[in-house]
Amino acid sequence: MNTDARRRVEALRAEITRHDYRYYVLDDPEIPDAEYDRLMAELKALESAHPQLITSDSPTQRVAGAPSAAFGEVVHAVPMLSLENGFTDEDVAAFDRRARERLGVTEPLWYWAEPKLDGLAMTAIFRNGRLVQAATRGDGVRGEDVTANLRAIRAFPLSLSGDAPRLLEVRGEVFIPLDGFERMNREALARGEKAFVNPRNAAAGSLRQLDPAVTASRPLRVYCYGLGSLEGWEPPPLQSEVLGALKAWGLPICPHAARVRGVEGCIDYYRAMAERRARLTYQIDGVVFKVERLEYQSRLGFISRAPRWALARKFPAEEVLTRVEAIEWQVGRTGAVTPVARLTPKFVGGVTVSNVTLHNFDEVRRKDVRVGDTAVIRRAGDVIPELVRVLPERRPEGTVPVKLPERCPICGSEVIKPEGEAVARCTGGFSCAAQRQEAIRHFASRLAMDIEGLGEKLVEQLVAAGGVRSPADLYTLTVEQLQTLERMGEKSAANLHRAIERSKHTTLPRLLYALGIREVGEATALALARHFGELEPLIEAARSHPERVEEVADVGPVVAAHLHAFFIAPAHRELIDALRASGVTWEPLAVSAAALPLEGQTFVLTGTLPSMTRQEAQAALSALGAKVAASVSRKTRYVIAGADPGSKLEKAHALGIPVLDEAGLRKLLDAHRR
Ligand code: 9MJ
């Protein structure tokens, strides 16, 4: 063994680690970058000449091993909490009052105040001073194992210096400073790649890389702010002293934190940071106050995932002025015609905003937004940018109020906005390129034509290839054509073809529902079929005598107007003719609907309905063949929600399951009872 080489390797490692510490922890580099690079190159050369000298905590070993296929899961022994938010000085005062009352303390409390970094929370475990595991926060209980990636961040030590505890878990925020963010985006654009929208997304994307070499190339930084599990160390009494100890072990902590006294101290600190914010080298979205004394922290404990001993005082959303260059209309998948304001691009709340949705025509009128106006825009945290208001005093001469377009900008069909509704819609349906895909997906869905196996992905391919422009085109597809779709073998193409053929024999209610006429759900389709018996009399009434359509139970002027608009459009008449010509037939009523119309459908009830008990609702649904289940899943047909609904409603929203209130439930029950 070459002892000179060993000594030199150890000296180089110690020196590199010391320069990392001076650079990332003390923010006080001693040597130029080129000198640092020279030390690193010498260490690499020695290690490759003497591979037996390589250790896992050598600075050359930050990126080791091949990229993994996925992140493992880590269960946090001590849950990773989030923070309660405050938005006003009064919120801070109330937080302080509650804390002192609980503790029975009358004199002002000391707080540790620090900037609230806008990055990504992480936890890192050091055993006997060596970094052994790192994880993201995840849901606070379970996170992703990002050990290899945290190791790749030069700003974070692989081992602790001095007398480190047997086990030390530190928590902190991973972020990208603004200058690094700008450089990263310049480089990405130069390579022809997309820029990151903001430093937070860039940090999250950089840490969650399956290849640690990519993480290593990103200008990530870490500031530690707290503790997790500990063994072999009794922390000092104060938060500030804990952070002092972390810093002494070589961990980076935020240099702008301070000890402050009482509410006044907190508010002064907040003001000072708000003023300083624009000059900081990293992005923050508020400040955090933590009760200094650890003993007080443990007496205060936490409620629902947030400690009672900490408060995040958020900065108000940044607002900037810009100019409305144009107001354009976009057509969504469901035909909603939405106004969008094109703006002179401005950097606000961490992103460049060049357009904002104005939601709907009523909103444009309410705010009286006009082309040429000066507008206040803002963006708070993750929230979508919004146009707050326009400044009438800066309005140039000759502007005109915005008008709703009469024709769809995509397909030229009529746009209608029923009385009392905020949303205007294109009546083009599948004949509008913007809506085609969604209309065909709906047509094929289970409660419509029920074409088994024809899901969203396949519809997307069929429409993109241009072969399928209307639902009737589905019936012209051959097995050979289906086989050309992605991941479609001979057998599945034949199965899909059979399912399409099978769907040709359907019922009038299903067909009506499948056409995707606005406001015509299953219940209304059934009621219409019952009333008119056949399609032609319904079309005739809808076109020429909409008042006759209103005779159908639960069909009001809005539904009648939608039916009218649908059936006067020549494209829709052509669709029905084309369906007939391809051999699609429909029976006047669903055969099974006569017996138990809700057979096979699962409902979930949540909250209190205004006038029905849970038992009544359940009995009424069961009488029609429905199943009432306790929890929401993808199979749930409807969630019926009353007052104070629970997490079931959230789950329904998350899964995109339709939600009915009592009126909606009654309508559905009535349609099926008749
Ligand atoms: C951030 N994001 O800067 C905490 N944080 O403390 C700071 N987050 C935190 N502290 C307990 N400075 C839970 C989260």
Side-chain angles (χ1 to χ4, degrees):
M1 172 68 62
N2 184 331
T3 44
D4 283 351
R6 178 187 296 275
R7 268 202 220 106
R8 184 64 190 147
V9 161
E10 282 166 4
L12 283 167
R13 283 180 192 156
E15 189 157 3
I16 290 169
T17 305
R18 191 169 66 83
H19 289 306
D20 282 341
Y21 177 74
R22 294 207 58 130
Y23 190 95
Y24 293 111
V25 181
L26 302 183
D27 194 18
D28 181 22
E30 193 180 275
I31 55 168
D33 287 359
E35 183 59 19
Y36 179 96
D37 293 345
R38 198 198 58 72
L39 295 171
M40 197 68 146
E42 187 188 343
L43 178 60
K44 272 190 192 146
L46 274 171
E47 285 181 345
S48 69
H50 307 278
Q52 72 279 14
L53 295 181
I54 299 175
T55 57
S56 69
D57 64 348
S58 168
T60 60
Q61 301 302 301
R62 285 193 172 269
V63 177
S68 68
F71 298 109
E73 186 186 270
V74 169
V75 176
H76 305 304
V78 178
M80 289 185 76
L81 303 172
S82 55
L83 291 168
E84 191 194 320
N85 287 327
F87 299 92
T88 61
D89 290 350
E90 177 44 41
D91 291 343
V92 178
F95 159 71
D96 171 71
R97 204 177 322 115
R98 282 194 306 271
R100 279 184 298 114
E101 272 168 18
R102 269 191 179 265
L103 294 168
V105 171
T106 48
E107 71 271 21
L109 285 173
W110 283 93
Y111 290 96
W112 181 245
E114 54 198 9
K116 182 167 185 298
L117 294 151
D118 201 9
L120 166 88
M122 67 92 208
T123 187
I125 297 177
F126 290 86
R127 269 186 204 284
N128 300 318
R130 290 212 178 183
L131 176 61
V132 292
Q133 188 175 66
T136 60
R137 177 172 180 276
D139 64 4
V141 178
R142 278 157 225 278
E144 285 175 322
D145 184 333
V146 288
T147 311
N149 299 38
L150 194 71
R151 282 180 56 92
I153 302 176
R154 232 172 75 185
F156 197 75
L158 293 175
S159 49
L160 300 177
S161 53
D163 199 7
R166 193 159 64 244
L167 176 93
L168 173 73
E169 182 176 9
V170 288
R171 282 162 180 189
E173 199 84 356
V174 177
F175 64 99
I176 291 185
L178 291 165
D179 61 347
F181 173 71
E182 279 155 24
R183 177 159 26 90
M184 226 172 113
N185 270 352
R186 267 199 312 277
E187 289 168 5
L189 292 173
R191 285 193 303 269
E193 293 166 11
K194 261 176 68 180
F196 289 91
V197 290
N198 60 39
R200 195 243 307 270
N201 289 8
S206 299
L207 186 67
R208 296 187 65 265
Q209 281 287 333
L210 293 172
D211 183 356
V214 178
T215 307
S217 73
R218 303 278 170 86
L220 290 160
R221 301 291 288 261
V222 183
Y223 282 153
C224 297
Y225 53 64
L227 298 173
S229 302
L230 294 175
E231 279 170 31
W233 184 52
E234 192 57 48
L238 302 180
Q239 182 82 13
S240 52
E241 293 167 341
V242 169
L243 296 198
L246 297 183
K247 185 169 171 179
W249 283 319
L251 289 160
I253 71 161
C254 177
H256 302 115
R259 238 166 86 80
V260 299
R261 187 165 176 269
V263 189
E264 287 73 29
C266 290
I267 291 173
D268 288 348
Y269 179 85
Y270 169 81
R271 298 249 153 79
M273 286 314 288
E275 194 271 319
R276 219 172 149 176
R277 182 185 185 192
R279 285 176 286 141
L280 291 177
T281 54
Y282 49 90
Q283 201 171 51
I284 65 176
D285 60 353
V287 297
V288 187
F289 307 118
K290 296 178 179 174
V291 171
E292 258 276 72
R293 196 160 285 284
L294 265 49
E295 186 232 331
Y296 287 172
Q297 292 186 4
S298 64
R299 271 167 59 192
L300 288 165
F302 53 88
I303 27 163
S304 70
R305 303 264 178 101
R308 282 204 193 87
W309 45 265
L311 180 78
R313 164 78 149 97
K314 304 285 279 250
F315 291 130
E318 184 192 1
E319 295 189 340
V320 304
L321 293 181
T322 184
R323 183 173 172 277
V324 179
E325 305 281 354
I327 292 174
E328 290 172 7
W329 298 85
Q330 283 183 348
V331 187
R333 282 166 26 118
T334 60
V337 177
T338 309
V340 177
R342 303 270 172 235
L343 310 167
T344 306
K346 281 285 165 73
F347 194 71
V348 54
V351 298
T352 300
V353 175
S354 47
N355 49 59
V356 290
T357 175
L358 297 171
H359 303 290
N360 56 57
F361 183 63
D362 291 352
E363 181 90 349
V364 178
R365 276 293 164 87
R366 194 173 61 73
K367 291 181 175 163
D368 191 19
V369 185
R370 302 185 189 190
V371 176
D373 270 339
T374 299
V376 178
I377 56 166
R378 75 170 163 216
R379 180 177 173 277
D382 253 348
V383 185
I384 301 163
E386 62 172 337
L387 188 152
V388 185
R389 64 200 156 87
V390 297
L391 306 180
E393 63 276 18
R394 296 223 196 164
R395 176 169 284 168
E397 302 244 320
T399 63
V400 286
V402 171
K403 283 220 277 298
L404 184 68
E406 284 169 17
R407 300 266 152 201
C408 169
I410 307 284
C411 71
S413 298
E414 196 188 346
V415 169
I416 65 168
K417 180 175 172 297
E419 215 23 68
E421 277 191 31
V423 179
R425 289 184 195 272
C426 162
T427 54
F430 69 88
S431 55
C432 177
Q435 300 167 68
R436 192 168 287 149
Q437 185 177 315
E438 175 62 16
I440 294 171
R441 189 204 58 75
H442 172 79
F443 181 85
S445 66
R446 193 164 58 85
L447 298 161
M449 300 299 274
D450 193 19
I451 305 179
E452 206 183 323
L454 187 56
E456 185 153 1
K457 290 264 152 53
L458 286 178
V459 171
E460 196 180 318
Q461 285 188 56
L462 288 167
V463 171
V468 175
R469 301 172 61 85
S470 108
D473 293 338
L474 294 173
Y475 297 103
T476 65
L477 294 168
T478 62
V479 178
E480 289 70 34
Q481 282 171 319
L482 290 172
Q483 231 174 294
T484 63
L485 299 174
E486 261 171 53
R487 284 193 291 277
M488 184 64 80
E490 207 173 314
K491 195 158 164 226
S492 28
N495 284 343
L496 180 56
H497 191 260
R498 250 197 309 281
I500 295 174
E501 284 297 307
R502 235 190 345 257
S503 76
K504 282 182 175 173
H505 306 288
T506 188
T507 65
L508 180 56
R510 276 185 180 270
L511 176 80
L512 279 175
Y513 175 64
L515 292 175
I517 306 162
R518 277 254 61 87
E519 302 277 333
V520 179
E522 297 158 76
T524 307
L526 188 63
L528 289 166
R530 285 214 160 106
H531 187 89
F532 288 97
E534 291 286 351
L535 184 59
E536 282 310 318
L538 164 62
I539 295 179
E540 174 56 23
R543 287 167 66 105
S544 318
H545 310 282
E547 72 286 354
R548 281 204 222 139
V549 184
E550 288 185 44
E551 287 166 16
V552 179
D554 287 324
V555 172
V558 171
V559 178
H562 284 301
L563 284 160
H564 175 75
F566 187 90
F567 286 114
I568 58 164
H572 295 149
R573 289 305 311 233
E574 284 161 24
L575 168 66
I576 288 161
D577 291 344
L579 289 172
R580 274 210 186 91
S582 4
V584 176
T585 59
W586 45 89
E587 293 165 34
L589 275 182
V591 181
S592 66
L596 286 175
L598 300 182
E599 188 85 58
Q601 300 190 19
T602 305
F603 286 65
V604 172
L605 303 169
T606 179
T608 315
L609 298 176
S611 72
M612 284 170 110
T613 65
R614 177 175 287 264
Q615 287 71 20
E616 282 165 349
Q618 192 153 354
L621 285 165
S622 307
L624 295 172
K627 199 176 128 199
V628 177
S631 61
V632 179
S633 75
R634 282 184 199 286
K635 298 223 177 82
T636 308
R637 181 66 193 95
Y638 285 108
V639 167
I640 314 293
D644 298 324
S647 60
K648 292 175 195 173
L649 183 60
E650 282 163 35
K651 181 123 189 244
H653 289 315
L655 295 174
I657 288 164
V659 177
L660 298 178
D661 58 5
E662 183 178 317
L665 172 63
R666 285 188 183 278
K667 189 169 155 183
L668 183 89
L669 293 170
D670 286 347
H672 289 292
R673 274 196 199 118
R674 237 172 284 269

